[in-house]
Amino acid sequence: MIHRALDAGINFIDTADVYSQGESEIIVGKALADGRRDDVILATKFHGQMGVPADAPAGTKGDPNSQGNSRRWIIREVENSLRRLGTDWIDLYQVHRPSPGTDVEETLSALTDLQRQGKIRAFGSSTFPPHEIVEAQWVAQRRGLGRFVTEQPPYSMLVRGIEADLLPVAQQYGMGVIPWSPLAGGWLSGKYRKGQDAPGSTRANRLPQRYDLSLPENQRKLDAADQLGQLADEAGIPLVHMAIAFVLQHPAVTSPIIGPRTMEHLESQIGALDVTLSTDILDRIDEIVPPGTTFSRADAGYVPPALTDPFARRRRTA
């Protein structure tokens, strides 16, 4: 699948250490070991808990020092990622999520050192709220450190919250935007239509609250996905193509990240590169899902710091 993607002209590959606990990085490294490494912008991420078997029971805890955004973990984990990827450098090293317990200056300082050592070429953030992106830019400027040059947020026709503030912030600071989940976790794959049985998937089994149709927010998503599917049918465009083209056409977006699970999925998504949506279609999409819409907090990809910070919880309950 990776070779087919490269042959089709795709030249950016994004992975993370936590994906199957390093196995994804190993697979990517093997796929690029035949002389293709120099032609690819290779990105990976750190932050998630490592050292826990992928098949471990839910709630299994690992070493608390094998995760997060601290200097100690970054310096250690970049070596692990380099080894798994079979490369001497990472083009884009990303902080997978914010860490309320670590000052962003510590994170930026460690990443700047790695950049100066040549182990990474650039670094960015993933699923950061706008105010933390702004803070990181200010800290980098004040302290003379390297800055986040990219942000990787969730974005799709169904998850449009970043249009309200994050995309303008990214444009203001000249950041590349590489959104994940342009198909909204499968909701825009064409399989979620009214009057049809909901398709089963490993994602739905892992995150049932995002697909349980007994929840009002998921019923609203189904209604919107069905209307978007009807619009795609009227335009003679596969819904998958319309969804990816929608993300790609936003002027603040550099490139959407697709996540095909099978070769069939990959082939069905590559064709979106040749699709340009008219103003009329974009207006119709806005009527179905207004700009800035996010159906649930889970769709945003992160929980606001006030809900994860124990001190904030204490303040609210005091």
Side-chain angles (χ1 to χ4, degrees):
M1 288 176 62
I2 293 174
H3 288 172
R4 172 69 184 98
L6 297 178
D7 291 342
I10 291 175
N11 63 357
F12 172 69
I13 296 179
D14 173 78
T15 183
D17 58 356
V18 77
Y19 296 163
S20 295
Q21 290 289 297
E23 185 176 3
S24 175
E25 288 184 325
I26 292 171
I27 292 171
V28 169
K30 289 180 178 178
L32 299 178
D34 59 355
R36 295 176 180 254
R37 172 66 184 92
D38 289 339
D39 299 326
V40 170
I41 303 299
L42 181 58
T44 191
K45 301 183 282 292
F46 68 89
H47 168 84
Q49 177 69 65
M50 295 296 289
V52 176
D55 58 353
T60 302
K61 295 183 179 180
D63 179 359
N65 291 316
S66 295
Q67 62 177 333
N69 303 342
S70 69
R71 168 176 285 273
R72 179 185 188 277
W73 178 239
I74 293 170
I75 299 302
R76 175 181 166 191
E77 185 61 2
V78 72
E79 300 294 343
N80 294 332
S81 286
L82 288 168
R83 183 183 67 255
R84 288 188 292 259
L85 290 166
T87 185
D88 294 326
W89 80 96
I90 294 166
D91 293 296
L92 178 63
Y93 201 37
Q94 301 158 100
V95 189
H96 210 155
R97 292 291 189 277
S99 180
T102 302
D103 194 303
V104 70
E105 181 178 351
E106 178 179 345
T107 302
L108 293 174
S109 175
L111 292 170
T112 299
D113 287 346
L114 293 179
Q115 186 178 43
R116 290 169 179 169
Q117 293 167 16
K119 294 181 179 180
I120 63 175
R121 299 286 169 83
F123 51 89
S125 55
S126 174
T127 322
F128 269 49
H131 73 278
E132 296 202 36
I133 292 175
V134 172
E135 179 188 7
Q137 295 289 331
W138 288 355
V139 169
Q141 183 178 34
R142 288 199 304 267
R143 301 302 187 188
L145 300 171
R147 68 185 187 92
F148 292 146
V149 297
T150 59
E151 162 60 16
Q152 186 180 141
Y155 184 44
S156 68
M157 292 191 294
L158 287 180
V159 182
R160 303 183 60 175
I162 66 171
E163 293 172 337
D165 44 20
L166 190 145
L167 289 181
V169 164
Q171 285 184 300
Q172 178 181 349
Y173 287 103
M175 298 174 69
V177 179
I178 43 178
W180 53 270
S181 201
L183 300 184
W187 282 96
L188 299 176
S189 65
K191 297 179 180 179
Y192 285 86
R193 299 295 292 266
K194 297 182 74 172
Q196 298 180 8
D197 292 334
S201 70
T202 55
R203 186 187 287 112
N205 292 335
R206 190 174 70 252
L207 302 168
Q209 73 280 6
R210 295 182 63 181
Y211 299 90
D212 183 353
L213 294 179
S214 67
L215 299 177
E217 61 267 27
N218 291 335
Q219 272 295 333
R220 291 195 296 271
K221 277 193 282 189
L222 178 61
D223 290 341
D226 186 69
Q227 293 180 59
L228 291 169
Q230 294 179 38
L231 174 60
D233 293 342
E234 294 171 11
I237 305 171
L239 180 57
V240 168
H241 288 185
M242 188 171 82
I244 297 174
F246 170 83
V247 175
L248 186 59
Q249 278 186 229
H250 195 290
V253 170
T254 306
S255 176
I257 296 174
I258 60 174
R261 184 174 54 83
T262 66
M263 187 68 77
E264 181 183 2
H265 291 170
L266 175 63
E267 296 291 351
S268 71
Q269 295 177 37
I270 287 177
L273 289 170
D274 301 320
V275 174
T276 300
L277 302 181
S278 68
T279 301
D280 289 342
I281 291 178
L282 292 173
D283 287 344
R284 290 280 302 280
I285 293 171
D286 287 349
E287 292 173 3
I288 297 169
V289 183
T293 296
T294 297
F295 286 93
S296 68
R297 182 180 292 128
D299 291 330
Y302 63 86
V303 177
L307 300 181
T308 59
D309 179 358
F311 296 102
R313 284 201 299 273
R314 265 183 235 139
R315 285 195 294 273
R316 288 207 316 275
T317 57

